[in-house]
Amino acid sequence: MRTHYCTDLNETNVGEEVTLTGWANSYRDHGGIIFIDLRDKTGLIQLTCDPEDSKTAHEAADKVRDEFVLVARGKVRHRGEGLVNPRLKTGAIEIVVSELTIENKAKPMPFTLGDPNVSEDVKLKYRYLELRDPAMYEAFRLRSKAAIAARNVLDANGFLEVETPILTKSTPEGARDYLVPSRVHSGEFYALPQSPQLFKQLLMVGGFDRYFQIAKCFRDEDLRADRQPEFTQIDVEMSFCNQEDVIKVAEDLLEGIFSACDIEVKAPFNRIKYRDAMEWYGSDKPDLRYDLKMVDVIDIFERCDNEIFSKIAAQPHKNRIKALKVPGADLVFSKREMKSFEDFVRKFGASGLGYFQMKEDGLKGPLIKFFSDDDIQAIIDRTELEVGDVVFFGAGEKKLVWDYMGRFRNFIAEHEKMNLVDSDKYEFVWVVDFPMFEVEDGRVKALHHPFTQPVDTDKDDVEEIESIAYDIVLNGTELGGGSIRIHKEEVQEEIFKLLGIEEEEAQEKFGFLLDALKFGAPPHGGFAMGFDRMMMLISKKSSIRDVIAFPKTQKASCILTQAPSEVDNAQLRDLHIRLREKKQ
């Protein structure tokens, strides 16, 4: 139907006869001459409908309203002197319309495209209309380019794309499974995969050597800006590899994807050990676009006269006292504001937040009276304070302090008075050497998953056992991660034993994988990256819902299709399901 897209045309096409298609973005009647901005996926171009050029085209244009679907035939010409629109790519030309066809009318729009004040519920109800916004199209154009680049990079590195099952067995992987009842097998259920983890390991046992998949995954968990019940990840696994091999492939992949999106990133990326990340930044996904690092001062506080601090400091293995220097903060924040920061950290379990200000005549603050002159100087030296700086202190149980001081670090960097975050910067970092286990409520749990290869299990403290695991972090967001997997049966049995999983339970939950490991499983490892999160960051969006064509709400519902929904009794009977009565 068309000869060109709108923005394919420029001044070199002046005089040509063209046919364009699209939607009426706007309509203006200027004293008999009607101007229509025609919009297609590439952008806008002005149509000029003058009765002196074509009476029938002008009569058709008089009936046009916003979002009508149009086919326009006409001649390209220069705009008149002083009429060029520099904001449009096609602002130097217009189409003098000789034929105009209204292919379809449109009801008045429920909202204006690109209006930031429209509620999310309205936009999601009419998602197909929101997708007409050129900014939305651009996000999905980038997503398509990124997916093609990912396939090209992995194909060039010898990886084979293999699809794994969507209907599979329910296995414990950290989040709730979405369950699918079986009609054929009464009372039994499939699960939608949280990841292709077990299947990709089976492919390595099958000798496929290098596998990848842009995979759909499903997790029934509480949602937030960077989570959806169904999401996409780039899933990669390789045999006869070590951590360096895997990281090299991942960095090649990221360079290729970002390059396809016109963003230059250079590998190798920085690395940081998990324990250093927690001690310095209070997070295993630190944002390194700004240089705020926590410093340990527990030994100095042990000598202070404040009993609360000295008791905490007396147990350095269990507790932490962390100092966070914020350069120049004393010049922009009042005492009242600094005191109010306590309210922020209390939301995350902190009992308080101390601070000192570095003045011309030395260190000042309500806690100064508890420290000797030597210890005050030690704090200045340890935190490298200069006049105008403020140093904030968090004290308490180790994991609690890491958490709230890490959150406070991000909060202060993003504060409008500090504005330390460079939004145009892409700062990658690998977090490596993760603990194999964590202990919660006296129970040993795998920090990643129970198939991660440990470095050495011969440790008295189970939390000191490290694993060959790695996460890739971008601007404080975990893009993904992976590990070298356990490929020997005896090692897997030892890990299950440490986790308190008996042989019978292990066989019931993971039997098909454990059986496979007995048939000559090669050393293998891999990674998975959240494709939606990656595209959110590349597109500079605040939510992954903006880079998923038809997303769910934070309550895991689709307002557009009204899913989930009730089904009739006949379907329930086929599935051997009887519903409880709903509570009134």
Side-chain angles (χ1 to χ4, degrees):
M1 294 177 81
R2 64 167 73 90
T3 60
H4 300 78
Y5 287 103
C6 291
T7 65
D8 289 345
L9 300 172
N10 55 46
E11 291 173 276
T12 64
N13 300 104
V14 168
E16 292 182 19
E17 195 82 23
V18 299
T19 302
L20 303 178
T21 62
W23 287 263
N25 194 68
S26 63
Y27 165 96
R28 307 178 299 282
D29 188 340
H30 288 188
I33 301 176
I34 296 173
F35 298 96
I36 298 169
D37 283 343
L38 185 71
R39 184 189 74 247
D40 66 13
K41 70 173 187 175
T42 66
L44 303 177
I45 196 167
Q46 179 172 284
L47 306 181
T48 302
C49 301
D50 189 331
E52 293 187 9
D53 296 312
S54 172
K55 186 176 180 181
T56 56
H58 183 269
E59 288 174 352
D62 191 48
K63 300 184 179 80
V64 170
R65 295 296 179 267
D66 288 355
E67 299 304 313
F68 276 28
V69 181
L70 306 177
V71 179
R73 181 176 174 82
K75 190 171 288 188
V76 183
R77 78 176 179 191
H78 286 288
R79 291 200 189 191
E81 187 176 345
L83 298 177
V84 171
N85 184 350
R87 292 174 300 175
L88 286 185
K89 187 177 179 181
T90 59
I93 58 173
E94 61 186 0
I95 308 300
V96 181
V97 179
S98 56
E99 298 177 29
L100 183 67
T101 303
I102 298 174
E103 278 292 333
N104 215 341
K105 297 179 181 180
K107 292 169 59 178
M109 291 279 282
F111 60 89
T112 302
L113 294 181
D115 183 352
N117 298 316
V118 181
S119 75
E120 186 174 62
D121 282 359
V122 171
K123 289 194 292 186
L124 291 180
K125 181 178 179 180
Y126 298 99
R127 182 65 165 187
Y128 48 85
L129 297 180
E130 188 188 15
L131 291 174
R132 292 182 185 176
D133 186 341
M136 293 293 289
Y137 179 83
E138 177 60 18
F140 286 95
R141 186 188 70 83
L142 286 175
R143 184 177 176 120
S144 177
K145 280 185 167 290
I148 292 168
R151 286 189 163 94
N152 288 340
V153 169
L154 292 168
D155 177 67
N157 277 278
F159 285 83
L160 190 68
E161 184 169 12
V162 183
E163 293 179 348
T164 54
I166 293 298
L167 295 176
T168 184
K169 178 182 173 65
S170 179
T171 57
E173 289 195 48
R176 292 185 188 91
D177 285 326
Y178 277 102
L179 299 178
V180 180
S182 170
R183 178 183 60 83
V184 178
H185 303 282
S186 174
E188 297 183 352
F189 295 81
Y190 301 102
L192 303 182
Q194 294 186 32
S195 78
Q197 179 65 47
L198 301 182
F199 286 107
K200 66 183 181 182
Q201 290 191 250
L202 293 177
L203 287 171
M204 296 303 101
V205 177
F208 274 46
D209 192 65
R210 290 191 164 201
Y211 138 96
F212 85 93
Q213 182 181 188
I214 300 181
K216 274 286 186 185
C217 304
F218 307 85
R219 294 181 186 175
D220 186 5
E221 59 187 351
D222 294 334
L223 305 182
R224 57 190 187 208
D226 61 351
R227 281 183 180 170
Q228 280 278 288
E230 53 181 312
F231 58 95
T232 306
Q233 68 183 34
I234 304 175
D235 203 56
V236 177
E237 196 79 3
M238 49 199 290
S239 294
F240 300 104
C241 62
N242 56 30
Q243 177 174 288
E244 295 306 314
D245 299 325
V246 177
I247 286 178
K248 176 64 169 61
V249 168
E251 291 182 340
D252 285 350
L253 177 63
L254 288 167
E255 280 189 323
I257 288 173
F258 276 71
S259 177
C261 297
D262 299 318
I263 300 169
E264 184 179 1
V265 297
K266 286 291 185 184
F269 304 140
N270 289 329
R271 297 188 194 184
I272 184 172
K273 291 178 179 289
Y274 168 84
R275 295 188 190 280
D276 289 338
M278 299 305 296
E279 295 287 0
W280 296 344
Y281 305 111
S283 172
D284 60 0
K285 45 183 183 294
D287 191 338
L288 301 186
R289 287 175 293 176
Y290 45 90
D291 186 24
L292 294 180
K293 185 184 286 188
M294 295 191 301
V295 177
D296 206 338
V297 290
I298 196 166
D299 57 320
I300 302 174
F301 273 67
E302 188 178 11
R303 300 190 293 268
C304 78
D305 294 332
N306 184 295
E307 187 177 350
I308 295 174
F309 286 124
S310 60
K311 280 185 70 174
I312 291 171
Q315 300 184 70
H317 177 71
K318 175 183 174 184
N319 298 329
R320 291 292 185 271
I321 300 180
K322 289 291 184 180
L324 181 71
K325 181 186 82 169
V326 183
D330 196 38
L331 306 177
V332 296
F333 293 121
S334 66
K335 282 187 177 181
R336 177 176 293 180
E337 285 176 306
M338 286 188 278
K339 184 68 176 173
S340 73
F341 294 157
E342 275 195 350
D343 296 333
F344 175 82
V345 298
R346 285 184 193 277
K347 290 187 295 185
F348 306 103
S351 56
L353 184 71
Y355 67 90
F356 292 150
Q357 300 154 280
M358 191 65 187
K359 304 286 190 179
E360 291 280 358
D361 57 345
L363 207 58
K364 305 295 179 182
L367 298 176
I368 287 292
K369 61 186 177 183
F370 298 112
F371 294 86
S372 68
D373 291 343
D374 287 344
D375 284 339
I376 289 171
Q377 188 59 49
I379 291 171
I380 294 172
D381 294 341
R382 181 82 56 87
T383 58
E384 300 180 350
L385 288 175
E386 297 181 2
V387 174
D389 296 346
V390 176
V391 59
F392 295 91
F393 299 96
E397 191 272 329
K398 176 175 66 177
K399 290 183 179 179
L400 179 64
V401 172
W402 284 345
D403 181 60
Y404 75 74
M405 288 298 287
R407 292 175 187 271
F408 179 66
R409 173 182 179 268
N410 294 338
F411 167 81
I412 206 74
E414 294 167 1
H415 196 287
E416 61 184 358
K417 287 190 175 182
M418 296 301 299
N419 196 24
L420 299 179
V421 182
D422 183 351
S423 60
D424 292 324
K425 193 173 183 181
Y426 291 92
E427 191 67 49
F428 288 93
V429 62
W430 285 102
V431 180
V432 298
D433 299 343
F434 276 82
M436 181 74 190
F437 305 105
E438 60 181 345
V439 179
E440 287 188 0
D441 301 323
R443 185 182 167 205
V444 179
K445 297 171 59 179
L447 191 66
H448 276 71
H449 56 66
F451 311 109
T452 302
Q453 179 72 44
V455 175
D456 179 9
T457 57
D458 189 21
K459 300 277 187 181
D460 293 333
D461 184 349
V462 72
E463 289 190 288
E464 293 296 319
I465 298 172
E466 289 186 348
S467 64
I468 309 177
Y470 33 83
D471 281 355
I472 183 65
V473 176
L474 173 59
N475 295 353
T477 296
E478 180 194 328
L479 278 189
S483 66
I484 301 300
R485 324 300 186 189
I486 296 170
H487 66 284
K488 294 183 178 180
E489 183 184 4
E490 61 271 20
V491 177
Q492 189 64 73
E493 288 175 353
E494 184 177 3
I495 295 303
F496 281 150
K497 185 176 179 181
L498 288 169
L499 289 168
I501 299 175
E502 299 294 334
E503 183 177 347
E504 184 177 338
E505 181 185 359
Q507 193 64 35
E508 179 187 345
K509 292 178 176 177
F510 311 109
F512 59 95
L513 177 63
L514 299 179
D515 289 343
L517 294 180
K518 299 173 183 177
F519 289 95
H524 59 284
F527 62 86
M529 292 186 189
F531 191 45
D532 309 302
R533 287 185 185 181
M534 187 188 304
M535 296 316 303
M536 176 184 74
L537 295 172
I538 288 174
S539 305
K540 297 187 182 299
K541 303 294 186 181
S542 59
S543 168
I544 63 171
R545 289 190 291 277
D546 294 330
V547 295
I548 296 173
F550 299 100
K552 305 291 190 294
T553 68
Q554 285 198 326
K555 292 184 178 179
S557 64
C558 176
I559 298 177
L560 172 64
T561 63
Q562 298 185 348
S565 61
E566 294 181 354
V567 297
D568 61 42
N569 287 329
Q571 287 177 283
L572 292 176
R573 281 195 297 272
D574 285 345
L575 295 170
H576 319 287
I577 291 176
R578 179 183 296 163
L579 298 180
R580 292 181 179 176
E581 289 187 15
K582 292 182 179 179
K583 292 182 179 180
Q584 299 297 321

